[in-house]
Amino acid sequence: MHPTTPAQPFDGSHDREIESLAEFDEVVRAHGTLSHFRVQSVDLTDRTDALLALDTSGAVFLGCPMAPEAATKSRASGALVFPPVPGLSFDPYRGFVYSPDELFASLDEGYEATPDARTYAWFQRTKADGDIFGSMLRSIHDDAVTDALDELLVGESVVGVMGGHAMARGTEAYAGAARLGRELTRAGLMVATGGGPGAMEAANLGAYAAPFDDEMLTAALGILVKAPKFTPSVTEWAKAAFEVRAGWPGGGPSVGIPTWFYGHEPPNPFAAHLAKYFSNATREDGLLARCTAGVVFLPGAAGTVQEIFDNATPNYYGSRGEPTPMVLVDREHWTQRLPAWPLLRSLAQERAMESRIALVDRIEEAPEALKRLGG
């Protein structure tokens, strides 16, 4: 961290965000003040002496447990203190994206016991009741996740891999998507997916497999086929993935960006970082906007078609700067079954994006197409 001096006005930068106890202690040691810092979801119950002694004017404490006297003193000195919200299965003020271990905690008791499933159940109960408190909590949570995702991806070249959730483990299509994710990761790119099952899981699995040899991926695919889909049992589906992770710890990083809007589809455990949202609109736009190195679209249905044209629109108008590469995989699928390619090509005609789109027959051709298009 490189905070500005306390005398300067707050500039809204990430440099003034404190998101862990170690970071809190470093700020106290280095600067001797908390003035105008933002502290997110850090348990400060053992830092009462520091809170009582330091200047906290202009500070904001978001969901930080602290002693009552520390909270009273901070408020009196001009800080805003938003206490933790009791009874929630999620933290609306969180400072980091999720990990698979966090979302799938208590999986041994069944998927229904996990924070992921309990948060979906809360969302189902509250999304239509008109309670401003519930909608506020969802909005704060999603904004905090966006902030954490921005910090995570600083300096990364992100390539998206989009595709349907119906792609089953044990199929050649699934294995091909895994090999694609592995190759893109080995090329130094950060793979980002929608974070769910099917093609999304396969690409995240490939990224996870990137540090290992071919035998590892073959063995992993053999383990996963025991539970080809997340129905009828999310528990068994997820346990097979965690069996792979336990057998080969320390896999390559990738990002999954799922949503509780489609909460019946669980997030996959192979994405090292899971930025899970309540709002699907925020999630979709944020996922595609972050794919600075382009997007590969594997065969899918309505959701993947939507993603193609959600990505095409800013490329068409240049609203995010230079168009980013778009590679559609499987000519028959995108020209006959769901003919998105002819429309995309017509839109791109005589636009800057025309040289940034490609249609390939086989998934093995996608990395070279990305490279050719400038991704």
Side-chain angles (χ1 to χ4, degrees):
M1 292 183 56
H2 304 286
T4 53
T5 60
Q8 293 177 323
F10 178 71
D11 62 5
S13 72
H14 290 300
D15 287 339
R16 284 189 170 270
E17 294 177 3
I18 298 174
E19 296 158 334
S20 69
L21 198 58
E23 201 171 9
F24 178 91
D25 291 340
E26 172 61 20
V27 167
V28 170
R29 183 195 63 77
H31 302 281
T33 181
L34 294 171
S35 179
H36 293 287
F37 280 89
R38 277 67 173 115
V39 190
Q40 285 180 256
S41 194
V42 180
D43 188 342
L44 300 175
T45 51
D46 290 332
R47 297 296 186 272
T48 301
D49 290 345
L51 291 170
L52 293 176
L54 295 173
D55 179 10
T56 56
S57 60
V60 179
F61 296 91
L62 299 167
C64 298
M66 62 178 72
E69 61 269 31
T72 299
K73 181 266 179 185
S74 296
R75 289 191 179 99
S77 68
L80 291 175
V81 180
F82 295 82
V85 181
L88 290 179
S89 55
F90 65 96
D91 179 2
Y93 302 118
R94 61 181 305 111
F96 303 97
V97 298
Y98 294 94
S99 70
D101 289 333
E102 183 179 3
L103 286 178
F104 284 99
S106 303
L107 182 64
D108 287 344
E109 302 171 29
Y111 173 68
E112 295 73 17
T114 66
D116 186 65
R118 290 189 291 115
T119 300
Y120 177 53
W122 176 88
F123 183 36
Q124 290 293 94
R125 290 194 306 271
T126 62
K127 67 180 182 180
D129 63 9
D131 185 355
I132 186 63
F133 184 57
S135 61
M136 181 192 74
L137 291 174
R138 293 192 293 271
S139 296
I140 291 172
H141 169 274
D142 284 3
D143 193 63
V145 168
T146 294
D147 182 71
L149 188 58
D150 285 341
E151 294 178 7
L152 174 70
L153 295 178
V154 169
E156 296 284 358
S157 292
V158 181
V159 60
V161 179
M162 310 298 159
H165 68 270
M167 184 185 288
R169 296 167 172 175
T171 62
E172 180 51 38
Y174 185 97
R179 290 191 293 268
L180 172 65
R182 183 177 63 177
E183 183 170 348
L184 294 172
T185 301
R186 287 176 175 176
L189 299 169
M190 175 68 78
V191 169
T193 76
M200 297 171 280
E201 181 192 51
N204 288 128
L205 166 63
Y208 188 89
F212 304 104
D213 58 19
D214 290 350
E215 285 73 19
M216 176 271 174
L217 183 55
T218 299
L221 293 171
I223 292 170
L224 295 173
V225 78
K226 295 186 298 185
K229 295 190 175 184
F230 65 92
T231 55
S233 173
V234 175
T235 302
E236 296 308 311
W237 176 85
K239 281 184 174 180
F242 278 101
E243 182 180 343
V244 171
R245 285 167 43 106
W248 293 272
S254 66
V255 175
I257 306 182
T259 173
W260 280 294
F261 184 81
Y262 297 130
H264 61 286
E265 297 179 13
N268 77 74
F270 291 112
H273 311 287
L274 288 162
K276 192 156 190 178
Y277 286 89
F278 289 106
S279 168
N280 186 50
T282 302
R283 168 252 191 174
E284 287 277 9
D285 185 66
L287 169 56
L288 293 166
R290 288 175 172 83
C291 294
T292 54
V295 183
V296 177
F297 296 93
L298 303 178
T304 310
V305 172
Q306 177 184 344
E307 288 163 345
I308 289 172
F309 292 103
D310 280 347
N311 197 47
T313 300
N315 281 347
Y316 179 89
Y317 288 111
S319 55
R320 293 179 185 147
E322 285 293 312
T324 52
M326 300 177 64
V327 178
L328 277 60
V329 176
D330 191 329
R331 187 176 304 274
E332 180 184 357
H333 185 86
W334 294 121
T335 62
Q336 302 297 321
R337 194 170 301 123
L338 294 174
W341 173 252
L343 178 53
L344 179 63
R345 187 174 56 183
S346 296
L347 278 173
Q349 190 171 0
E350 298 181 1
R351 310 287 296 195
M353 67 181 288
E354 187 173 18
S355 63
R356 295 296 184 94
I357 64 172
L359 175 66
V360 299
D361 292 306
R362 299 179 299 109
I363 199 168
E364 290 80 8
E365 300 173 71
E368 178 57 35
L370 267 181
K371 185 177 179 179
R372 185 175 71 251
L373 298 178

